[in-house]
Every structure is written in structure tokens, then in C-alpha cells.
Amino acid sequence: MSLQQFINEAISPWMKEEGPDSDIVMSTRIRLARNFDQTPFPIIAKSQNLEKILDFFQQEYHHQSFNNYHDLEFVKMSDLQPIEKRVLVEKHLISPHLAENAELGGALISKNEQVSVMVNEEDHIRVQLYFPGFQLEEALDQAFELDDWLEEKINYAFDEKKGYLTSCPTNVGTGMRASVMMHLPALTLTQKVNRMIPAINQLGLVVRGIYGEGSEALGNIFQISNQITLGRSERDIVEDLQSVVNKLVEQERKARHILVEQSELQLEDRIFRSCGVLQYSRIIESKETAKCLSDVRLGIDIGYIENIPKTILNELMVLTQPGFLQQYAKKTLSPHERDILRASLIRERLKLEK
Amino acid sequence: MECQECHERPATLHFTKVINGSKTENHVCEHCAKEKGYVSYGEEAYSLHDLLSGLFNFEPSSLNEQTSKDITSQHHLKCLKCGMTYQEFTKVGKFGCASCYDAFSERLNPIFRRVHSGNIVHDGKIPKRIGSNIHQKKQLNEHKEKLQELIQSEEFEQAAQVRDQIKEIEKGIKPNGEGEV
């Protein structure tokens, strides 16, 4: 398979579109947790209960279409190879938990990969919708429509006082997690992010690095999401998140502006060094990759680099993860072999643009 | 403060050990803490759920008789639908089924308050199809309360109107009711 072909398959179609504020906001996601009312939750359900749910999804939703989400495909986890599951995880279409622990799990995925409904994860149903850039309201509207569509055939576990009943008490109520993925290189470089996080937490929102572990944010990519699901409406939660993200976007733009003004040459040097590393290195770890990609993306946004497309950061962050590298190589690779393949894949990808 | 074990690095971990009632204070660095086994660094990171199940266990460590009675009754709470006990729930941090919410309801509000910034009542989407019944039921209850009030204050004309409204609402609910005739 050629690299171009591989990338076409690896990158979800929606990711190639440019959304609002896409210089800073990479993507928006809404997730809704739902359960069947008469069936025990997956953690203690008998396998026949879970199989029944899988069959139900297969029968009712496989090859169906809804709104813009055409040709939904239902896959059972048991029919997938470990590497195939890993690729779905790296595309964020399924969770690591579903891939590793849910033998009787499944996923209903739309052709453009914007919609993914996980089945028999921690809850029976986890509806997820992705949008490019910053589109919280649009995402919530679409999520509600999809939710209503599913509900036509499913009796949800719902209580007047407690809302949508979920397996974990942290999700009860709306069952909604709204999140926004942001690239914040200038706020990180100027160390402002760390000072802003406590204030954001006070609003019931959580900030975390999406790729790195713990508090470290690989590639300066942060995810901001709501923590509270009970007692506040979806619209209110989304409004709060929206105002915080707007503020962050504004601050990040300001910080970029100041960086350019105060230390233009250092910044330019940093960006072009990173560009050089990506273009010429022969062995590269994922951590260095993330750092360099973040620098290059910043260089594109500021206007130092012109011949590389904006989507490079989203694209290569996904492509250079272990699952994809191994799928590209069509075999299991040791970490060292992955570093070599990663370097060569990046070099090839950048050559495609020349 | 320097580490009491190696006397080289600064102490970053401060804790009190209580063995058979005698207390000792400890100040060690992370390196020595690991080596001496004061803390365990497992393969898996401390997950949110570990933290959560910690939240549920607010039992005092020293029990007097009264609280121990309370706790016994707490341990007997059990969901009849799926068989999960309250004790199991506090360990796993997850409900077994929708009915667990009813079975453990007397214990849950403090937990919800902690996790959801003091909130205990849902305010948000109601399912479109099954929710129309909930909406009507809510209306029905309000009307019935009003009816009682009106009867007590002997305003029978208005009461008759409300009674008719209740009949109307009840008609509306039936077609959606689980397909029964």
C-alpha cells in the first residue's frame, strides 16, 4: 500500500475538514452514556444479556443511515484482531477499555467516522460525536438528535430525579461529557497554562494532556472537559465550557503574538530546528515527534512555514502512534523498530508536500 | 527538611505511622520511600475509580457501638434485581443495574453531592419517547395535589375543572403505556 493510500484510510474523513478556530481548537467531542432499563450493566451482566444487546445493534442499526452519518457499520470486538482494535483506539473511535476488557463489546461507526457508538463498554451505550475545530453547540444538537433516534427503539434507564442512570456515579444525570482538544504551544511555552488550570477547575471543568501521561501534555495538546453531570443541564455545561475555551483561544493568540514580538529569532530558530528534525531524522521517539510536530504546527499558524498543510499535526499525531505504525508495517514491531519506521514515515509524509 | 533515611535528599513525603497505638512521624524522600516500601508504585496508575471508591468509605476507623450498628445495616443493603450489595458497590465504585439506584438510595445523596458539586437532582434532557410519560406524570401529580387543596378549601367548582383536566391527561398517557390494552 502506498503511504498516501494508508493515510487516506488512517485519517478519519472529518479530521481533514477545517473547523472554526482550527488554528487552536483541533476537535470537539460530545459523549453521552446510556443504558437499557431492564438489563444489568455490563460489569455484572451475564454474557447472554450482553450478546442480546450485540445482536440487537447488529439487527437494528447495521447499514442504517442517520442524518449525515451514512452507512453505519457495526463491528463486534471479538471479530477484530488486536492491532485492528488498537488502531480504532488511536483514532479515538473506541476506548482502551472496550478494546482490552470488553469481550462482548461492539461499536457502531459511521462511514465518515464522526459518529461512534460503543456498545457494552462500562455502560451499554456510549454515543460519541466528533467535529473538527470548535463546534460545541453543533455537536450537542447532533448528539441529541442521534440520541432521540436511538431512543425510538430502546427503553433507556432513566429516572425523573437522577436522570440517565449510568454504571459509574460520576456520569449520572446527563451522562454527558463534552470535550474540546486544544493546541496551546504559546501558553505552555510561557508557562501560563499551569496558572490557568486551577481557575478552570473551579468551574467544574477538567484540563488534561491528551496524549502524555499524568499532567504532562504531549505535543502541547490539552483536553478540556466537564466533570459534573448532575444538576446542570447539557446546554449550561456546554455554555460554560464554551466560554472557557473562548478565553483560552484568546489568551493563546495573545501569547503567540507576544512571543513573535519579543523573541522572534529564537522562536523561528526553534520552529525550523524542529522542522529539520522531522525532515531528516532516522530514529525518532514519540515524545520528540510530538514536540517537533507542535513546533511545526505553530510555525504554520504564525506563517513561518508555508508549504506544509495545517492538518499535519492532527494527522501525524495519529499516524505515528504504535498501533498505526504496526499496521503500516503489517507486523509487530519492537519500540526501536517503531522509532525507525516513525522517522521514515514522517520523512515520506513531508516529501508528499513538495 | 532532609530525608531521615539517606540524609541526602530533601524529604518530600511526610506521614504518621500508628502501630499498636504508638505514633511515629516520618519524613522521607521519594527514593527512600520507594526502597523501604512505604509507598508502592504499581504498574497501573491510581485511577479515578480508586479515588472514588475511597470517597464512598467514610466509615470512621474507631467505631463506637452506635455507628457499628449503622454500618451493619448498611452492609445489609442489597439490590434485589441484580444482587449487588452496598458493600460491593463501595468497593467497585460502580452500580450493577438501574435498580441499584433505588436499592441504595438512602446512602447515595452524600456521594452525588461530593462528585457533582453539591447537586443531587437531574436538570437536563428527558428522553423524547419514554420521557413524554414522565412529563405527563409530573403534570398529573401537580394536578392531583391541586385537586386535594381545592377540595379541602371547599372550592368545588374549580375542583371539578381540575378533575376534568386530570382525566384528559390520563387519557393521553394510556396509548404510550407499554402497549397494554
Side-chain angles (χ1 to χ4, degrees):
Chain A
M1 197 192 323
S2 78
L3 180 64
Q4 186 68 65
Q5 228 181 325
F6 177 68
I7 292 171
N8 286 343
E9 282 175 29
I11 300 303
S12 302
W14 65 266
M15 262 193 209
K16 293 172 197 155
E17 292 164 35
E18 231 175 79
D21 293 314
S22 63
D23 55 331
I24 292 166
V25 181
M26 300 170 71
S27 63
T28 302
R29 183 188 79 141
I30 296 276
R31 180 270 271 160
L32 301 173
R34 301 287 186 253
N35 284 285
F36 285 83
D37 67 343
Q38 295 297 329
T39 312
F41 298 151
I43 54 158
I44 63 158
K46 295 198 179 89
S47 36
Q48 67 242 43
N49 291 134
L50 299 178
E51 274 161 12
K52 224 170 134 186
I53 293 177
L54 286 180
D55 291 344
F56 173 80
F57 265 82
Q58 177 84 41
Q59 220 161 48
E60 297 293 336
Y61 301 111
H62 186 54
H63 288 319
Q64 296 286 308
S65 292
F66 173 74
N67 280 2
N68 294 323
Y69 313 118
H70 301 296
D71 204 5
L72 296 163
E73 192 184 340
F74 186 69
V75 286
K76 290 180 184 169
M77 287 304 114
S78 54
D79 292 339
L80 296 176
Q81 297 296 316
I83 287 191
E84 291 175 303
K85 284 195 249 181
R86 185 137 190 196
V87 164
L88 290 180
V89 171
E90 289 173 5
K91 280 180 155 182
H92 296 136
L93 288 170
I94 63 172
S95 65
H97 177 81
L98 190 77
E100 283 155 31
N101 308 326
E103 280 160 36
L104 293 169
L108 186 71
I109 299 171
S110 71
K111 194 146 200 177
N112 61 2
E113 300 185 348
Q114 227 180 323
V115 166
S116 150
V117 181
M118 287 193 275
V119 177
N120 294 339
E121 211 245 19
E122 183 183 294
D123 294 300
H124 294 136
I125 302 165
R126 289 260 172 121
V127 179
Q128 298 191 98
L129 280 100
Y130 287 97
F131 282 77
F134 189 21
Q135 304 191 58
L136 270 172
E137 274 175 26
E138 176 68 13
L140 185 63
D141 289 343
Q142 296 275 320
F144 276 2
E145 280 184 36
L146 183 64
D147 184 40
D148 292 340
W149 182 65
L150 290 174
E151 202 243 338
E152 282 171 17
K153 291 180 183 163
I154 298 171
N155 282 339
Y156 282 153
F158 181 85
D159 177 81
E160 277 178 70
K161 292 220 169 69
K162 296 294 170 241
Y164 293 93
L165 305 179
T166 54
S167 183
C168 185
T170 53
N171 293 318
V172 69
T174 62
M176 181 190 75
R177 199 75 67 209
S179 58
V180 171
M181 225 201 307
M182 305 184 79
H183 182 223
L184 303 173
L187 286 178
T188 312
L189 211 62
T190 53
Q191 310 231 318
K192 280 208 180 105
V193 151
N194 288 334
R195 271 179 282 153
M196 294 173 86
I197 289 175
I200 297 172
N201 289 343
Q202 282 188 343
L203 289 166
L205 303 176
V206 191
V207 185
R208 57 196 180 101
I210 181 126
Y211 287 104
E213 268 156 43
S215 56
E216 192 186 29
L218 220 51
N220 301 321
I221 299 171
F222 295 86
Q223 189 192 48
I224 329 279
S225 59
N226 65 300
Q227 174 84 65
I228 294 163
T229 57
L230 190 62
R232 305 209 57 213
S233 74
E234 292 88 345
R235 300 264 167 220
D236 286 351
I237 294 169
V238 159
E239 242 168 60
D240 275 2
L241 184 57
Q242 203 152 19
S243 66
V244 166
V245 171
N246 270 326
K247 202 86 204 155
L248 280 166
V249 168
E250 186 188 301
Q251 293 290 322
E252 169 68 20
R253 290 216 176 103
K254 216 186 255 171
R256 286 181 186 186
H257 194 71
I258 293 170
L259 273 182
V260 173
E261 255 178 17
Q262 293 183 347
S263 46
E264 183 163 19
L265 198 59
Q266 281 102 309
L267 187 66
E268 208 177 337
D269 178 67
R270 181 190 164 108
I271 287 166
F272 279 101
R273 272 170 189 274
S274 288
C275 198
V277 168
L278 292 177
Q279 266 165 341
Y280 297 108
S281 68
R282 279 0 193 207
I283 301 169
I284 190 163
E285 283 183 19
S286 55
K287 207 171 166 180
E288 192 180 8
T289 308
K291 181 207 162 267
C292 293
L293 283 171
S294 170
D295 285 344
V296 167
R297 175 67 210 254
L298 178 63
I300 297 168
D301 289 336
I302 295 177
Y304 292 160
I305 298 174
E306 280 172 347
N307 53 355
I308 300 177
K310 280 185 170 182
T311 47
I312 198 93
L313 174 66
N314 310 34
E315 191 181 303
L316 284 177
M317 276 307 276
V318 175
L319 277 180
T320 54
Q321 291 177 86
F324 271 107
L325 290 173
Q326 297 182 77
Q327 204 200 28
Y328 187 46
K330 294 208 163 56
K331 60 176 181 182
T332 321
L333 301 171
S334 70
H336 183 66
E337 288 170 320
R338 291 204 291 259
D339 293 346
I340 297 170
L341 183 64
R342 182 177 294 117
S344 104
L345 192 143
I346 295 169
R347 289 199 314 272
E348 292 284 317
R349 175 67 189 87
L350 292 174
K351 266 187 213 152
L352 286 178
E353 296 304 324
K354 294 247 161 106
Chain B
M1 188 183 289
E2 68 177 21
C3 170
Q4 66 187 41
E5 297 287 342
C6 62
H7 301 285
E8 279 171 17
R9 290 171 285 259
T12 52
L13 209 72
H14 312 274
F15 60 95
T16 312
K17 261 202 291 194
V18 184
I19 298 170
N20 295 332
S22 72
K23 272 199 226 169
T24 42
E25 293 210 354
N26 294 272
H27 309 279
V28 292
C29 68
E30 209 167 322
H31 183 85
C32 293
K34 223 171 180 174
E35 214 153 67
K36 300 278 170 194
Y38 291 139
V39 285
S40 59
Y41 291 81
E43 286 289 299
E44 280 176 48
Y46 201 66
S47 75
L48 179 66
H49 297 125
D50 296 323
L51 278 174
L52 268 179
S53 52
L55 280 181
F56 305 152
N57 292 314
F58 23 91
E59 295 157 32
S61 53
S62 62
L63 303 172
N64 57 42
E65 267 174 41
Q66 217 180 349
T67 52
S68 76
K69 254 184 217 159
D70 269 3
I71 281 164
T72 333
S73 76
Q74 168 179 327
H75 285 177
H76 284 202
L77 277 179
K78 186 174 175 178
C79 173
L80 294 175
K81 190 113 188 193
C82 70
M84 184 176 265
T85 62
Y86 183 75
Q87 206 179 2
E88 281 168 332
F89 165 68
T90 59
K91 261 188 213 142
V92 195
K94 307 256 171 73
F95 294 106
C97 73
S99 306
C100 290
Y101 279 87
D102 284 332
F104 309 146
S105 64
E106 51 181 295
R107 302 272 164 185
L108 296 179
N109 281 346
I111 295 170
F112 291 143
R113 272 196 201 98
R114 280 174 188 222
V115 181
H116 297 287
S117 291
N119 298 322
I120 52 169
V121 179
H122 174 59
D123 174 20
K125 195 171 192 251
I126 293 173
K128 200 174 175 183
R129 186 174 51 86
I130 59 165
S132 63
N133 261 354
I134 291 175
H135 190 70
Q136 282 165 326
K137 259 190 240 160
K138 223 175 177 176
Q139 239 185 333
L140 198 63
N141 284 339
E142 280 167 11
H143 276 78
K144 280 183 180 166
E145 274 172 34
K146 202 170 163 192
L147 183 64
Q148 286 305 316
E149 273 173 37
L150 289 171
I151 290 173
Q152 290 207 334
S153 56
E154 299 185 5
E155 290 178 57
F156 297 113
E157 247 173 71
Q158 279 189 49
Q161 277 177 11
V162 174
R163 188 201 56 209
D164 291 344
Q165 284 169 354
I166 290 175
K167 275 186 187 158
E168 279 298 305
I169 299 169
E170 278 174 337
K171 260 190 224 161
I173 290 180
K174 270 185 186 159
N176 286 334
E178 312 276 316
E180 289 156 348
V181 185

